[in-house]
Amino acid sequence: MTSTAASAARPDSAPPRLPSLTGLRWIAALLVFGFHAGTMRIIAEPDYKAVVDALFTLGLSGVQFFFILSGFVLVWSARAGDSRRTFWRRRIAKIYPNHLVLWAATLVVAGWFADPVLPAAALENLLLLQAWDARPGWFYSINTVSWSLSCEFFFYLCLPFALPLLRRARPKLLWALIVVLPLLILALWPAQELVPEVSRWWFTQIFPPVRSLEFWLGAVAAELMRRGLWRGPGLTVASGIFLVTWVAAAQWIPAELWTTLLAVVYLLVITAAADADVRGRRSPWRSRSLVWLGEVSFAFYLVHVLVMTSVLRWSGDWGTGFGGWRGPAVVLGFLVVNLILAGLLHRFVETPMMRRLAPRRPARPAAVPRQRAAGTQAAGNDEARDPKGGAGGAADEVGPADSRSTYVDLR
């Protein structure tokens, strides 16, 4: 069991960077990509498809990881001098430019394929209000994965009001929340019986207040770690717990327990990786390549479904799949193409717009020596995020106002 030294994250000092969490963002984005590659049936060869299904059956939970990570990072990196307006402006500058580009690109693709687009749905999606709309297809309108951004906007709206309460909360209350929040996630399964059947998927998977349970779980853990009170396994043990849970859940554990188990396991991995960064301990997630992949993971999450569905429809291979070795080759090709597009979006849209639109922040203190030696040039902690996801968050998704225009997840 490990605990973060209180001196490492004193309330009156800027918190250390957490580059391992940036690297882990890529893993979550990859889980979502693998899940969609499997459910789009790109691979027709049964043996190859079985491998993808075994690896990525739970990939939908990548957005759950993004939401927990978002709550953790934003509370960890919050500074006392930041006003609500400054916080909201920074978050809008972070996610909205990419969203706007993908929103416009999706409409162009819809026009190319002559897909009908409801103006009201397009406007709702543009304003990131779609996750509040329970009508089938509306919450997955336009760029389908952007539903997770709609949830994130709600989290961002609430956090400045909740943060002072978290800062003043007694440790016993914080630990009680760590226990209660996963139980509330578990309670969603029986609670959905109170919702009309047609809206149950929306209620459990999309509705922002429900998905905020994951965000607050990460936020509470960050406050405990900030005070030096967090107790949890080290990174090696936490990673082992994750692997065992992932295999067991896919094979033997009832689906009703997946979200709760994965929420707990993801929290253990996130806190263990953060603890390793704070203490300067070895972490495989903060290599230069993984940090870069984590930095572009938000853009990757936003582009991947639109790119894959558009190419498959254009080539006439939508729903038919590719036989033999061509299936895995196409998936790898999509991975590379999406990475290239994500890198361009990050370089020419996300980064410059953050510099232009976000309020300037005071210079951060130098990273701890062992972090610098590990080659961490991560983005600021408050930029780690999901679909959805989650990630988007990352991460979980998708289905549009018109099922022809974008991929619909029928899981």
Side-chain angles (χ1 to χ4, degrees):
M1 301 291 282
T2 65
S3 63
T4 302
S7 60
R10 293 191 308 270
D12 59 345
S13 63
R17 293 183 183 275
L18 303 177
S20 292
L21 299 192
T22 304
L24 283 170
R25 283 163 52 190
W26 168 246
I27 303 302
L30 189 62
L31 292 178
V32 177
F33 170 83
F35 174 81
H36 286 144
T39 54
M40 289 181 191
R41 299 178 179 86
I42 298 173
I43 300 175
E45 177 64 37
D47 291 340
Y48 295 151
K49 188 177 186 305
V51 173
V52 173
D53 290 343
L55 290 175
F56 297 106
T57 294
L58 304 177
L60 189 69
S61 67
V63 172
Q64 183 181 31
F65 181 94
F66 284 135
F67 287 163
I68 298 171
L69 180 66
S70 180
F72 185 95
V73 168
L74 291 177
V75 169
W76 175 264
S77 61
R79 298 187 184 184
D82 281 353
S83 67
R84 293 170 185 168
R85 181 177 178 180
T86 297
F87 173 79
W88 290 328
R89 180 179 168 186
R90 186 177 295 117
R91 301 322 302 159
I92 291 172
K94 170 64 179 176
I95 73 173
Y96 200 82
N98 279 1
H99 165 63
L100 183 59
V101 170
L102 268 297
W103 179 85
T106 306
L107 291 181
V108 170
V109 171
W112 175 268
F113 287 113
D115 294 327
V117 176
L118 296 176
L123 178 62
E124 190 176 75
N125 185 280
L126 176 64
L127 299 177
L128 291 177
L129 298 173
Q130 71 271 34
W132 297 90
D133 195 331
R135 287 176 290 180
W138 283 68
F139 47 85
Y140 284 149
S141 62
I142 314 302
N143 186 28
T144 54
V145 297
S146 64
W147 70 267
S148 65
L149 304 189
S150 180
C151 290
E152 288 279 3
F153 256 42
F154 172 67
F155 307 160
Y156 300 159
L157 178 65
C158 295
L159 183 59
F161 297 101
L163 188 59
L165 301 178
L166 279 177
R167 294 292 194 239
R168 295 194 299 265
R170 294 178 180 273
K172 288 184 178 180
L173 175 59
L174 295 176
W175 279 112
L177 289 172
I178 291 292
V179 174
V180 168
L181 287 168
L183 294 178
L184 289 176
I185 295 173
L186 180 62
L188 292 174
W189 284 94
Q192 69 178 326
E193 298 296 329
L194 303 175
V195 179
E197 186 173 359
V198 69
S199 298
R200 288 176 185 173
W201 176 265
W202 166 80
F203 175 72
T204 58
Q205 303 296 322
I206 307 295
F207 188 38
V210 165
R211 296 311 302 258
S212 72
L213 296 174
E214 296 146 350
F215 178 87
W216 296 120
L217 183 62
V220 172
E223 179 61 23
L224 284 167
M225 180 168 283
R226 177 180 170 273
R227 301 185 193 184
L229 299 176
W230 178 259
R231 300 293 184 273
L235 187 54
T236 300
V237 174
S239 300
I241 293 173
F242 163 74
L243 290 174
V244 170
T245 303
W246 188 267
V247 173
Q251 299 296 325
W252 304 294
I253 297 176
E256 292 85 348
L257 302 178
W258 287 355
T259 53
T260 303
L261 286 175
L262 289 174
V264 173
V265 171
Y266 286 153
L267 185 68
L268 294 179
V269 172
I270 288 168
T271 52
D275 184 76
D277 285 345
V278 170
R279 294 175 177 272
R281 292 175 174 171
R282 180 174 297 180
S283 167
W285 308 115
R286 59 169 176 255
S287 67
R288 188 182 301 271
S289 57
L290 270 176
V291 167
W292 181 83
L293 288 169
E295 288 173 348
V296 304
S297 63
F298 173 46
F300 179 89
Y301 171 75
L302 288 183
V303 304
H304 79 282
V305 168
L306 176 63
V307 169
M308 291 194 290
T309 54
S310 299
V311 171
L312 291 173
R313 292 182 65 195
W314 173 77
S315 66
D317 296 302
W318 175 254
T320 60
F322 296 87
W325 60 268
R326 292 187 304 152
V330 170
V331 171
L332 291 176
F334 276 138
L335 180 64
V336 172
V337 169
N338 281 312
L339 260 180
I340 292 172
L341 293 175
L344 293 173
L345 190 63
H346 176 74
R347 172 67 177 83
F348 295 106
V349 177
E350 185 177 338
T351 300
M353 293 308 291
M354 272 289 292
R355 291 171 179 165
R356 180 181 295 271
L357 300 177
R360 292 189 177 183
R361 215 169 190 179
R364 299 176 61 91
V368 295
R370 291 185 65 177
Q371 285 182 333
R372 187 177 297 143
T376 63
Q377 284 127 2
N381 294 331
D382 61 338
E383 296 179 12
R385 54 159 284 106
D386 293 222
K388 63 121 82 190
D396 60 300
E397 27 247 330
V398 288
D402 174 7
S403 62
R404 295 185 302 151
S405 62
T406 35
Y407 164 63
V408 183
D409 176 9
L410 298 178
R411 180 176 178 272

